[in-house]
Amino acid sequence: QVQLVESGGGLVQAGESLRLSCAASGRTLSTYSMGWFRQAPGKEREFVAAISRTILRTYYADSVQGRFTVSRVNAKNTVYLQMNSLKSEDTAVYYCAAARGESELGQISTYAYWGQGTQVTVST
C-alpha cells in the first residue's frame, strides 16, 4: 500500500505558474504509474495528466496539453505537475493517484490509491 500527499497548491493570477508535488510513502513509487486528476466545484473529477511506471510515457488531457508537464523522480518518491500559463478554468482541487498497471491511465477506476488533494485557485 502507498500513501500519497500532495502539496504546492495556492492562489495565483492567470498566466502564472505553479508546481504541484506528490510525495509517496509506504512503498516505492517506481512500482506505480502515477496520475493527476482535478475536481472543480460542482463538476466531476477529471483526468489531467499521467506518467507510466516503466517506460515513463506521459499522457495529457487536451485542456492542459502544452501547458502542463508531469514528471517523476523515483529516487525522491515524488511526482510533479508543472503548471504554466494557468487559466481561471484550471481552478480545482488537484489529486494525485497511483496505479499498478500501465494502461487506461486516463480512467479514474484504474487508480487504487489517492491523495487528499491540494487546492489551486487561479484569479483573473
Side-chain angles (χ1 to χ4, degrees):
Q1 190 168 352
V2 63
Q3 292 78 44
L4 304 172
V5 178
E6 304 93 337
S7 62
L11 172 63
V12 296
Q13 299 280 340
E16 294 183 340
S17 299
L18 274 177
R19 189 178 77 159
L20 304 183
S21 299
C22 174
S25 62
R27 288 202 65 178
T28 304
L29 192 66
S30 61
T31 61
Y32 298 96
S33 294
M34 299 299 295
W36 286 96
F37 291 76
R38 66 187 182 187
Q39 188 166 17
K43 295 188 177 181
E44 295 185 351
R45 192 170 298 190
E46 64 175 5
F47 170 73
V48 175
I51 184 165
S52 64
R53 176 170 58 89
T54 56
I55 62 174
L56 303 185
R57 185 172 179 177
T58 56
Y59 306 84
Y60 297 95
D62 290 344
S63 59
V64 306
Q65 181 76 47
R67 299 189 298 123
F68 290 12
T69 303
V70 60
S71 61
R72 63 193 299 162
V73 180
N74 288 338
K76 294 185 176 182
N77 252 14
T78 303
V79 175
Y80 303 97
L81 184 67
Q82 177 67 43
M83 305 186 296
N84 298 329
S85 302
L86 282 161
K87 306 175 181 180
S88 58
E89 51 263 45
D90 295 319
T91 295
V93 177
Y94 283 71
Y95 300 89
C96 70
R100 295 186 182 91
E102 296 196 87
S103 61
E104 306 288 343
L105 293 181
Q107 302 299 316
I108 291 174
S109 58
T110 298
Y111 296 85
Y113 305 102
W114 292 82
Q116 293 300 306
T118 185
Q119 177 71 46
V120 172
T121 303
V122 183
S123 63
T124 57

